[in-house]
Amino acid sequence: MEQMEQMEKRMKAAYMDGTFQIIYRDIEKPEPEENEVLVRIEYVGICGSDVHFYENGRIGDFVVDGPFILGHEAAGIVVETGSKVTDLKKGDRVALEPGITCGKCEFCKTGRYNLCPDVKFFATPPYHGVLTEYVAHPSDMCFKLPEKVSTKEGALVEPLAVGLHAAAQGEVELGDSVVILGGGCIGLVTLLACKARGAANVIVVDMLQKRLEYAKKLGANHTVNAKEMNVEKELERLLDGKGADVVIETAGAVKTIQQTPEMAKRGGTIVLVGMAPQDVIAYDFAKIMAKELNIKSVYRYRNLYPVAIAAIADGKIDVGQIATHEFDFNNVKLAFDTVIDNAQDVVKGVIKVS
Ligand SMILES: [Zn+2]
Ligand SMILES: [Zn+2]
């Protein structure tokens, strides 16, 4: 009996222990504070940033120091509620928004909480991620999933929120033409977001044919293979020589970032989403000014979990198709290695934790 109680207080967690290494530890199960709920995690999506930490041990100034739990895209079931929680109850299925912000700064107070300088974000050192059996999280950052939305889809709300934010920053509207550079996970969720907002002509550009096939399946009006086609000429043809209302860069490559002013319509908008490997890049500002272009950027997302969940529930966005590969919690290393070795095939890998 005592032993069972002991077991119930423990849980399994997957840690990266040096690059390309995953170990499992038996650790103490968290207890929810008064404003928190305890969530039994069902699905965790593998994000590009997790892969980056796994491969390199760091992203810019964020350095992994010692064993570290990855994962920030999670959904699961509420199993316990803190004493002051009234909005959720045991048994509710929820998606976890990963950032806990201060609530007091100028950015939090104006609703732009993604810019809060004091955010504690899952799997961003020193804060551990969610590749664990249980996570205690503030109830107001846990969003209830309606019956129609699975916890697997719930784990995909996080990347989808990035796509929705990119489309919102570009003010993509009914009838717009949009060029999306890069057909990886973020390019594809951006495609879903642009179509849901009514964009009439969405063109996805990538070098990998398989990704372009996914893009077609997810609703792209046209795709351009940058390896096989002259991108400039092809876009001129597809956009009647006018350029796109909105150009969204998700590839994070120097070349594609540099191409954006050329592709935009006069008076159009460029949205920068992809992170380039280098900080300083030569950019044609003369063209930006001659066309009076707007340049926008994206840092995570804000206030979009309810929007994403409603859009999935309503069938406006079929995010489930993004999860192309599923792995067991015992195979976290295999999951990461597969994502790295099969970049062409994997749009999004998800881990079924329980
Ligand atoms: Zn993510
Ligand atoms: Zn703040």
Side-chain angles (χ1 to χ4, degrees):
M1 191 64 197
E2 210 170 83
Q3 203 180 5
M4 262 209 12
E5 261 170 40
Q6 280 298 327
M7 262 172 63
E8 279 168 11
K9 288 188 174 158
R10 310 292 296 176
M11 69 170 184
K12 188 166 136 184
Y15 286 76
M16 78 169 265
D17 187 21
T19 53
F20 295 97
Q21 300 294 336
I22 296 287
I23 56 166
Y24 292 91
R25 282 185 174 177
D26 179 56
I27 61 171
E28 200 165 330
K29 190 163 132 187
E31 274 191 41
E33 289 180 28
E34 57 183 23
N35 65 338
E36 290 182 338
V37 292
L38 185 69
V39 179
R40 191 176 79 229
I41 300 296
E42 291 205 333
Y43 277 98
V44 175
I46 302 175
C47 190
S49 63
D50 296 314
V51 174
H52 211 90
F53 281 126
Y54 178 76
E55 277 186 297
N56 304 301
R58 68 186 300 154
I59 297 177
D61 294 338
F62 294 104
V63 181
V64 174
D65 185 17
F68 184 64
I69 304 174
L70 295 167
H72 63 258
E73 306 175 351
I77 299 181
V78 173
V79 292
E80 216 180 305
T81 56
S83 59
K84 291 204 172 145
V85 173
T86 53
D87 48 345
L88 288 172
K89 59 182 190 313
K90 222 170 131 171
D92 283 345
R93 296 170 320 113
V94 291
L96 282 63
E97 185 169 342
I100 302 174
T101 51
C102 81
K104 294 188 174 82
C105 72
E106 174 190 347
F107 308 102
C108 284
K109 286 195 163 177
T110 52
R112 297 171 297 159
Y113 62 83
N114 58 321
L115 305 178
C116 175
D118 295 320
V119 66
K120 297 174 185 154
F121 203 89
F122 287 151
T124 305
Y127 307 105
H128 283 292
V130 292
L131 270 171
T132 60
E133 290 177 299
Y134 296 90
V135 172
H137 201 51
S139 68
D140 66 337
M141 298 305 275
C142 295
F143 294 86
K144 189 171 166 177
L145 300 172
E147 212 157 295
K148 279 186 195 160
V149 181
S150 68
T151 48
K152 188 165 160 182
E153 291 170 311
L156 300 170
V157 166
E158 204 272 345
L160 177 58
V162 178
L164 287 167
H165 190 41
Q169 289 289 77
E171 294 176 46
V172 172
E173 283 182 1
L174 191 63
D176 273 355
S177 56
V178 182
V179 169
I180 298 172
L181 297 168
C185 177
I186 295 299
L188 294 179
V189 288
T190 301
L191 159 67
L192 292 173
C194 290
K195 290 305 289 184
R197 287 173 73 105
N201 187 12
V202 182
I203 305 165
V204 177
V205 183
D206 201 290
M207 299 211 294
L208 301 175
Q209 191 55 34
K210 190 90 183 248
R211 288 184 174 182
L212 296 174
E213 281 160 26
Y214 283 131
K216 263 275 159 75
K217 237 173 52 189
L218 293 172
N221 299 82
H222 301 280
T223 58
V224 178
N225 188 320
K227 224 183 199 165
E228 289 162 13
M229 290 173 174
N230 180 323
V231 176
E232 218 167 285
K233 278 216 178 108
E234 192 59 16
L235 289 181
E236 206 171 294
R237 186 178 75 80
L238 296 170
L239 295 162
D240 297 326
K242 286 189 246 167
D245 294 299
V246 186
V247 177
I248 306 180
E249 203 293 321
T250 72
V254 173
K255 187 167 173 203
T256 47
I257 291 169
Q258 287 174 328
Q259 284 174 330
T260 52
E262 183 66 46
M263 294 171 175
K265 188 187 278 185
R266 298 169 73 83
T269 299
I270 292 165
V271 185
L272 301 173
V273 187
M275 289 256 281
Q278 65 200 73
D279 294 345
V280 180
I281 294 167
Y283 203 55
D284 188 346
F285 282 98
K287 189 151 281 165
I288 299 276
M289 297 181 73
K291 287 181 162 182
E292 203 181 64
L293 301 178
N294 307 295
I295 304 175
K296 291 286 201 90
S297 62
V298 160
Y299 186 70
R300 293 175 180 155
Y301 42 78
R302 52 181 173 248
N303 307 308
L304 285 168
Y305 265 59
V307 175
I309 291 166
I312 296 167
D314 188 41
K316 288 256 183 332
I317 292 182
D318 184 4
V319 79
Q321 294 191 60
I322 292 287
T324 50
H325 292 68
E326 186 171 325
F327 301 89
D328 193 82
F329 192 36
N330 292 320
N331 288 323
V332 171
K333 181 172 165 51
L334 174 69
F336 275 87
D337 292 342
T338 305
V339 170
I340 292 167
D341 297 338
N342 300 296
Q344 165 125 358
D345 295 326
V346 182
V347 176
K348 169 69 80 182
V350 294
I351 294 167
K352 191 173 190 318
V353 177
S354 68

PDB file of all heavy atoms in Angstrom, residues 85-110:
ATOM      1  N   VAL A  85      -8.853  27.164  -8.381  1.00  0.00           N
ATOM      2  CA  VAL A  85      -9.211  26.991  -9.801  1.00  0.00           C
ATOM      3  C   VAL A  85     -10.713  26.761  -9.926  1.00  0.00           C
ATOM      4  O   VAL A  85     -11.262  25.852  -9.297  1.00  0.00           O
ATOM      5  CB  VAL A  85      -8.445  25.799 -10.415  1.00  0.00           C
ATOM      6  CG1 VAL A  85      -8.946  25.504 -11.821  1.00  0.00           C
ATOM      7  CG2 VAL A  85      -6.946  26.097 -10.433  1.00  0.00           C
ATOM      8  N   THR A  86     -11.378  27.607 -10.732  1.00  0.00           N
ATOM      9  CA  THR A  86     -12.822  27.446 -10.918  1.00  0.00           C
ATOM     10  C   THR A  86     -13.180  27.189 -12.381  1.00  0.00           C
ATOM     11  O   THR A  86     -14.287  26.758 -12.684  1.00  0.00           O
ATOM     12  CB  THR A  86     -13.575  28.716 -10.457  1.00  0.00           C
ATOM     13  OG1 THR A  86     -12.995  29.842 -11.133  1.00  0.00           O
ATOM     14  CG2 THR A  86     -13.455  28.928  -8.965  1.00  0.00           C
ATOM     15  N   ASP A  87     -12.250  27.489 -13.280  1.00  0.00           N
ATOM     16  CA  ASP A  87     -12.592  27.414 -14.712  1.00  0.00           C
ATOM     17  C   ASP A  87     -12.355  26.040 -15.332  1.00  0.00           C
ATOM     18  O   ASP A  87     -12.785  25.786 -16.452  1.00  0.00           O
ATOM     19  CB  ASP A  87     -11.823  28.488 -15.504  1.00  0.00           C
ATOM     20  CG  ASP A  87     -10.337  28.524 -15.174  1.00  0.00           C
ATOM     21  OD1 ASP A  87      -9.945  27.938 -14.140  1.00  0.00           O
ATOM     22  OD2 ASP A  87      -9.571  29.138 -15.938  1.00  0.00           O
ATOM     23  N   LEU A  88     -11.663  25.160 -14.619  1.00  0.00           N
ATOM     24  CA  LEU A  88     -11.423  23.818 -15.158  1.00  0.00           C
ATOM     25  C   LEU A  88     -11.732  22.789 -14.084  1.00  0.00           C
ATOM     26  O   LEU A  88     -11.659  23.088 -12.894  1.00  0.00           O
ATOM     27  CB  LEU A  88      -9.959  23.664 -15.597  1.00  0.00           C
ATOM     28  CG  LEU A  88      -9.524  24.417 -16.853  1.00  0.00           C
ATOM     29  CD1 LEU A  88      -8.012  24.322 -17.033  1.00  0.00           C
ATOM     30  CD2 LEU A  88     -10.239  23.904 -18.105  1.00  0.00           C
ATOM     31  N   LYS A  89     -12.057  21.584 -14.537  1.00  0.00           N
ATOM     32  CA  LYS A  89     -12.305  20.516 -13.564  1.00  0.00           C
ATOM     33  C   LYS A  89     -11.619  19.225 -14.013  1.00  0.00           C
ATOM     34  O   LYS A  89     -11.201  19.115 -15.180  1.00  0.00           O
ATOM     35  CB  LYS A  89     -13.809  20.306 -13.367  1.00  0.00           C
ATOM     36  CG  LYS A  89     -14.534  19.957 -14.630  1.00  0.00           C
ATOM     37  CD  LYS A  89     -16.020  19.822 -14.378  1.00  0.00           C
ATOM     38  CE  LYS A  89     -16.757  19.236 -15.567  1.00  0.00           C
ATOM     39  NZ  LYS A  89     -16.455  19.805 -16.877  1.00  0.00           N
ATOM     40  N   LYS A  90     -11.528  18.304 -13.085  1.00  0.00           N
ATOM     41  CA  LYS A  90     -10.943  16.995 -13.352  1.00  0.00           C
ATOM     42  C   LYS A  90     -11.614  16.367 -14.569  1.00  0.00           C
ATOM     43  O   LYS A  90     -12.838  16.410 -14.701  1.00  0.00           O
ATOM     44  CB  LYS A  90     -11.186  16.102 -12.116  1.00  0.00           C
ATOM     45  CG  LYS A  90      -9.992  15.270 -11.730  1.00  0.00           C
ATOM     46  CD  LYS A  90     -10.240  14.613 -10.388  1.00  0.00           C
ATOM     47  CE  LYS A  90      -9.898  13.129 -10.488  1.00  0.00           C
ATOM     48  NZ  LYS A  90      -9.913  12.456  -9.196  1.00  0.00           N
ATOM     49  N   GLY A  91     -10.809  15.830 -15.467  1.00  0.00           N
ATOM     50  CA  GLY A  91     -11.380  15.173 -16.647  1.00  0.00           C
ATOM     51  C   GLY A  91     -11.412  16.065 -17.881  1.00  0.00           C
ATOM     52  O   GLY A  91     -11.587  15.570 -18.994  1.00  0.00           O
ATOM     53  N   ASP A  92     -11.275  17.388 -17.686  1.00  0.00           N
ATOM     54  CA  ASP A  92     -11.239  18.280 -18.848  1.00  0.00           C
ATOM     55  C   ASP A  92      -9.983  18.001 -19.667  1.00  0.00           C
ATOM     56  O   ASP A  92      -8.907  17.791 -19.121  1.00  0.00           O
ATOM     57  CB  ASP A  92     -11.204  19.758 -18.400  1.00  0.00           C
ATOM     58  CG  ASP A  92     -12.555  20.255 -17.940  1.00  0.00           C
ATOM     59  OD1 ASP A  92     -13.571  19.584 -18.227  1.00  0.00           O
ATOM     60  OD2 ASP A  92     -12.606  21.325 -17.290  1.00  0.00           O
ATOM     61  N   ARG A  93     -10.138  18.018 -20.983  1.00  0.00           N
ATOM     62  CA  ARG A  93      -8.973  17.880 -21.854  1.00  0.00           C
ATOM     63  C   ARG A  93      -8.519  19.279 -22.250  1.00  0.00           C
ATOM     64  O   ARG A  93      -9.337  20.132 -22.593  1.00  0.00           O
ATOM     65  CB  ARG A  93      -9.321  17.031 -23.072  1.00  0.00           C
ATOM     66  CG  ARG A  93      -9.684  15.586 -22.653  1.00  0.00           C
ATOM     67  CD  ARG A  93     -10.283  14.756 -23.776  1.00  0.00           C
ATOM     68  NE  ARG A  93     -11.199  15.548 -24.561  1.00  0.00           N
ATOM     69  CZ  ARG A  93     -10.980  15.885 -25.819  1.00  0.00           C
ATOM     70  NH1 ARG A  93      -9.924  15.466 -26.453  1.00  0.00           N
ATOM     71  NH2 ARG A  93     -11.843  16.643 -26.451  1.00  0.00           N
ATOM     72  N   VAL A  94      -7.228  19.532 -22.177  1.00  0.00           N
ATOM     73  CA  VAL A  94      -6.737  20.906 -22.377  1.00  0.00           C
ATOM     74  C   VAL A  94      -5.466  20.934 -23.244  1.00  0.00           C
ATOM     75  O   VAL A  94      -4.694  19.982 -23.284  1.00  0.00           O
ATOM     76  CB  VAL A  94      -6.392  21.594 -21.023  1.00  0.00           C
ATOM     77  CG1 VAL A  94      -7.650  21.876 -20.220  1.00  0.00           C
ATOM     78  CG2 VAL A  94      -5.406  20.756 -20.191  1.00  0.00           C
ATOM     79  N   ALA A  95      -5.279  22.079 -23.921  1.00  0.00           N
ATOM     80  CA  ALA A  95      -4.006  22.390 -24.579  1.00  0.00           C
ATOM     81  C   ALA A  95      -3.283  23.392 -23.696  1.00  0.00           C
ATOM     82  O   ALA A  95      -3.893  24.319 -23.164  1.00  0.00           O
ATOM     83  CB  ALA A  95      -4.255  22.983 -25.960  1.00  0.00           C
ATOM     84  N   LEU A  96      -1.989  23.176 -23.515  1.00  0.00           N
ATOM     85  CA  LEU A  96      -1.206  24.048 -22.618  1.00  0.00           C
ATOM     86  C   LEU A  96      -0.472  25.118 -23.422  1.00  0.00           C
ATOM     87  O   LEU A  96       0.352  24.789 -24.283  1.00  0.00           O
ATOM     88  CB  LEU A  96      -0.160  23.223 -21.850  1.00  0.00           C
ATOM     89  CG  LEU A  96      -0.629  22.396 -20.661  1.00  0.00           C
ATOM     90  CD1 LEU A  96      -1.610  21.329 -21.087  1.00  0.00           C
ATOM     91  CD2 LEU A  96       0.565  21.776 -19.943  1.00  0.00           C
ATOM     92  N   GLU A  97      -0.774  26.387 -23.140  1.00  0.00           N
ATOM     93  CA  GLU A  97       0.031  27.450 -23.755  1.00  0.00           C
ATOM     94  C   GLU A  97       1.312  27.576 -22.932  1.00  0.00           C
ATOM     95  O   GLU A  97       1.264  27.730 -21.713  1.00  0.00           O
ATOM     96  CB  GLU A  97      -0.743  28.774 -23.793  1.00  0.00           C
ATOM     97  CG  GLU A  97       0.039  29.835 -24.547  1.00  0.00           C
ATOM     98  CD  GLU A  97      -0.763  31.097 -24.874  1.00  0.00           C
ATOM     99  OE1 GLU A  97      -2.003  31.095 -24.833  1.00  0.00           O
ATOM    100  OE2 GLU A  97      -0.098  32.108 -25.187  1.00  0.00           O
ATOM    101  N   PRO A  98       2.482  27.520 -23.607  1.00  0.00           N
ATOM    102  CA  PRO A  98       3.731  27.276 -22.872  1.00  0.00           C
ATOM    103  C   PRO A  98       4.347  28.448 -22.118  1.00  0.00           C
ATOM    104  O   PRO A  98       5.227  28.220 -21.304  1.00  0.00           O
ATOM    105  CB  PRO A  98       4.699  26.794 -23.958  1.00  0.00           C
ATOM    106  CG  PRO A  98       4.104  27.168 -25.250  1.00  0.00           C
ATOM    107  CD  PRO A  98       2.643  27.373 -25.053  1.00  0.00           C
ATOM    108  N   GLY A  99       3.914  29.678 -22.347  1.00  0.00           N
ATOM    109  CA  GLY A  99       4.594  30.810 -21.722  1.00  0.00           C
ATOM    110  C   GLY A  99       3.856  31.318 -20.500  1.00  0.00           C
ATOM    111  O   GLY A  99       2.657  31.575 -20.550  1.00  0.00           O
ATOM    112  N   ILE A 100       4.566  31.450 -19.380  1.00  0.00           N
ATOM    113  CA  ILE A 100       3.963  32.088 -18.205  1.00  0.00           C
ATOM    114  C   ILE A 100       4.567  33.490 -18.118  1.00  0.00           C
ATOM    115  O   ILE A 100       5.775  33.644 -17.933  1.00  0.00           O
ATOM    116  CB  ILE A 100       4.241  31.296 -16.925  1.00  0.00           C
ATOM    117  CG1 ILE A 100       3.712  29.867 -17.083  1.00  0.00           C
ATOM    118  CG2 ILE A 100       3.626  31.984 -15.713  1.00  0.00           C
ATOM    119  CD1 ILE A 100       4.074  28.957 -15.925  1.00  0.00           C
ATOM    120  N   THR A 101       3.726  34.502 -18.264  1.00  0.00           N
ATOM    121  CA  THR A 101       4.229  35.880 -18.326  1.00  0.00           C
ATOM    122  C   THR A 101       4.001  36.597 -17.004  1.00  0.00           C
ATOM    123  O   THR A 101       3.289  36.083 -16.134  1.00  0.00           O
ATOM    124  CB  THR A 101       3.546  36.633 -19.474  1.00  0.00           C
ATOM    125  OG1 THR A 101       2.131  36.457 -19.357  1.00  0.00           O
ATOM    126  CG2 THR A 101       4.001  36.076 -20.815  1.00  0.00           C
ATOM    127  N   CYS A 102       4.580  37.799 -16.871  1.00  0.00           N
ATOM    128  CA  CYS A 102       4.540  38.467 -15.563  1.00  0.00           C
ATOM    129  C   CYS A 102       3.180  39.084 -15.261  1.00  0.00           C
ATOM    130  O   CYS A 102       2.800  39.231 -14.111  1.00  0.00           O
ATOM    131  CB  CYS A 102       5.649  39.515 -15.470  1.00  0.00           C
ATOM    132  SG  CYS A 102       5.255  41.092 -16.263  1.00  0.00           S
ATOM    133  N   GLY A 103       2.447  39.473 -16.318  1.00  0.00           N
ATOM    134  CA  GLY A 103       1.131  40.074 -16.121  1.00  0.00           C
ATOM    135  C   GLY A 103       1.169  41.520 -15.680  1.00  0.00           C
ATOM    136  O   GLY A 103       0.116  42.166 -15.549  1.00  0.00           O
ATOM    137  N   LYS A 104       2.360  42.064 -15.466  1.00  0.00           N
ATOM    138  CA  LYS A 104       2.456  43.404 -14.886  1.00  0.00           C
ATOM    139  C   LYS A 104       3.109  44.419 -15.813  1.00  0.00           C
ATOM    140  O   LYS A 104       2.948  45.620 -15.643  1.00  0.00           O
ATOM    141  CB  LYS A 104       3.299  43.328 -13.611  1.00  0.00           C
ATOM    142  CG  LYS A 104       2.664  42.517 -12.503  1.00  0.00           C
ATOM    143  CD  LYS A 104       3.490  42.662 -11.223  1.00  0.00           C
ATOM    144  CE  LYS A 104       2.806  41.986 -10.059  1.00  0.00           C
ATOM    145  NZ  LYS A 104       3.036  40.543 -10.014  1.00  0.00           N
ATOM    146  N   CYS A 105       3.879  43.951 -16.785  1.00  0.00           N
ATOM    147  CA  CYS A 105       4.652  44.896 -17.609  1.00  0.00           C
ATOM    148  C   CYS A 105       3.757  45.555 -18.663  1.00  0.00           C
ATOM    149  O   CYS A 105       2.608  45.166 -18.875  1.00  0.00           O
ATOM    150  CB  CYS A 105       5.840  44.186 -18.257  1.00  0.00           C
ATOM    151  SG  CYS A 105       5.373  43.065 -19.583  1.00  0.00           S
ATOM    152  N   GLU A 106       4.308  46.553 -19.312  1.00  0.00           N
ATOM    153  CA  GLU A 106       3.606  47.295 -20.368  1.00  0.00           C
ATOM    154  C   GLU A 106       3.050  46.343 -21.435  1.00  0.00           C
ATOM    155  O   GLU A 106       1.938  46.521 -21.924  1.00  0.00           O
ATOM    156  CB  GLU A 106       4.637  48.259 -20.978  1.00  0.00           C
ATOM    157  CG  GLU A 106       4.175  49.012 -22.180  1.00  0.00           C
ATOM    158  CD  GLU A 106       5.332  49.751 -22.858  1.00  0.00           C
ATOM    159  OE1 GLU A 106       6.429  49.871 -22.256  1.00  0.00           O
ATOM    160  OE2 GLU A 106       5.126  50.196 -23.992  1.00  0.00           O
ATOM    161  N   PHE A 107       3.841  45.323 -21.782  1.00  0.00           N
ATOM    162  CA  PHE A 107       3.453  44.436 -22.884  1.00  0.00           C
ATOM    163  C   PHE A 107       2.339  43.495 -22.464  1.00  0.00           C
ATOM    164  O   PHE A 107       1.392  43.269 -23.218  1.00  0.00           O
ATOM    165  CB  PHE A 107       4.685  43.672 -23.381  1.00  0.00           C
ATOM    166  CG  PHE A 107       5.824  44.604 -23.696  1.00  0.00           C
ATOM    167  CD1 PHE A 107       6.890  44.755 -22.823  1.00  0.00           C
ATOM    168  CD2 PHE A 107       5.779  45.381 -24.848  1.00  0.00           C
ATOM    169  CE1 PHE A 107       7.912  45.644 -23.096  1.00  0.00           C
ATOM    170  CE2 PHE A 107       6.798  46.282 -25.119  1.00  0.00           C
ATOM    171  CZ  PHE A 107       7.868  46.422 -24.243  1.00  0.00           C
ATOM    172  N   CYS A 108       2.448  42.977 -21.245  1.00  0.00           N
ATOM    173  CA  CYS A 108       1.375  42.132 -20.726  1.00  0.00           C
ATOM    174  C   CYS A 108       0.080  42.938 -20.625  1.00  0.00           C
ATOM    175  O   CYS A 108      -0.991  42.480 -21.030  1.00  0.00           O
ATOM    176  CB  CYS A 108       1.744  41.576 -19.360  1.00  0.00           C
ATOM    177  SG  CYS A 108       2.932  40.226 -19.420  1.00  0.00           S
ATOM    178  N   LYS A 109       0.215  44.158 -20.112  1.00  0.00           N
ATOM    179  CA  LYS A 109      -0.993  44.965 -19.874  1.00  0.00           C
ATOM    180  C   LYS A 109      -1.673  45.404 -21.157  1.00  0.00           C
ATOM    181  O   LYS A 109      -2.849  45.729 -21.159  1.00  0.00           O
ATOM    182  CB  LYS A 109      -0.643  46.176 -19.013  1.00  0.00           C
ATOM    183  CG  LYS A 109      -0.414  45.787 -17.572  1.00  0.00           C
ATOM    184  CD  LYS A 109      -0.434  46.991 -16.675  1.00  0.00           C
ATOM    185  CE  LYS A 109      -0.628  46.546 -15.245  1.00  0.00           C
ATOM    186  NZ  LYS A 109      -0.592  47.698 -14.329  1.00  0.00           N
ATOM    187  N   THR A 110      -0.917  45.474 -22.252  1.00  0.00           N
ATOM    188  CA  THR A 110      -1.535  45.865 -23.522  1.00  0.00           C
ATOM    189  C   THR A 110      -1.886  44.640 -24.377  1.00  0.00           C
ATOM    190  O   THR A 110      -2.162  44.772 -25.562  1.00  0.00           O
ATOM    191  CB  THR A 110      -0.619  46.814 -24.319  1.00  0.00           C
ATOM    192  OG1 THR A 110       0.678  46.211 -24.430  1.00  0.00           O
ATOM    193  CG2 THR A 110      -0.496  48.165 -23.646  1.00  0.00           C
TER     194      THR A 110
END
